[in-house]
Amino acid sequence: GTDAPTRAAAVPRPAAPGPDGGLQMVGSSEPMKAVFALADRVAPTDSNVLLYGESGTGKEMLARYIHQRSRRAEQPFLPVDCVSLNDSLLESELFGHEKGAFTGAHAAKPGLFEVAHGGTVFLDEVSGMSANLQARLLRVLQERQVRRVGGTRFTHVDVRVIAASNHDLEDLCRKG
């Protein structure tokens, strides 16, 4: 089965290094205490997480905070900006590709989901991802499998996905 994404508001101020070298979250208001409590509660689980909030509110910092307090902390944390790459490049970055899959693919290359095996992939501005890539992402979330571009076999991956958006994804779905 799959875990439903956990939603949390983003942190409005940057995190600072804590005494153990990890991120120490900053904020003392009641809403921020609730965000920290939720982050601390979700961190030790394998649940995928959806963070939403305005640009510049610290979504990536909160994602790193969750990763560093998880059993995955010693494994990679790989951030990806979903809007800065075109669909083809983003697909290749996330899922990898086989040799000869497209012009310039002179060697097979694992994607970030494979590279992050045991760790976390942070998908920043996931709302910018095309419907085709969203469908491929669904297989990762549900089946924990990836297939490289141009490939024929699926590879199991143990990866947590933390996604972020400055758009209300439920509202975007309602609007089609």
Side-chain angles (χ1 to χ4, degrees), residues 29 46 67 80 97 108 112 115 126-127 144-145 149 166 173:
S29 69
D46 280 332
H67 172 75
V80 182
H97 61 262
L112 295 180
V115 173
V126 70
S127 60
R144 302 289 184 208
Q145 294 180 341
V149 175
N166 63 2
C173 287

Side-chain angles (χ1 to χ4, degrees), residues 32-114:
M32 288 313 305
K33 287 179 183 177
V35 169
F36 302 152
L38 181 57
D40 287 336
R41 198 167 72 234
V42 74
T45 73
D46 280 332
S47 294
N48 297 309
V49 179
L50 173 61
L51 306 174
Y52 65 97
E54 293 180 23
S55 294
T57 57
K59 296 180 292 291
E60 183 171 346
M61 288 289 200
L62 185 57
R64 286 180 187 277
Y65 177 89
I66 292 167
H67 172 75
Q68 289 181 352
R69 281 154 180 73
S70 75
R71 70 173 180 83
R72 300 172 181 278
E74 298 301 316
Q75 300 304 317
F77 175 89
L78 301 178
V80 182
D81 183 351
C82 295
V83 295
S84 68
L85 304 172
N86 68 42
D87 277 358
S88 297
L89 187 53
L90 181 58
E91 182 178 35
S92 179
E93 283 296 306
L94 292 175
F95 298 96
H97 61 262
E98 295 296 343
K99 179 179 178 178
F102 50 83
T103 303
H106 301 294
K109 176 183 170 253
L112 295 180
F113 289 125
E114 287 181 75

Side-chain angles (χ1 to χ4, degrees), residues 113-167:
F113 289 125
E114 287 181 75
V115 173
H117 188 77
T120 302
V121 171
F122 174 63
L123 300 175
D124 195 13
E125 296 310 334
V126 70
S127 60
M129 191 179 280
S130 72
N132 176 50
L133 287 180
Q134 289 177 34
R136 291 200 66 187
L137 175 61
L138 185 59
R139 178 172 286 278
V140 174
L141 297 174
Q142 289 182 332
E143 307 297 329
R144 302 289 184 208
Q145 294 180 341
V146 296
R147 182 178 48 82
R148 292 180 184 174
V149 175
T152 57
R153 68 178 182 84
F154 286 93
T155 301
H156 172 76
V157 292
D158 173 20
V159 64
R160 172 188 240 170
V161 175
I162 300 179
S165 179
N166 63 2
H167 299 286

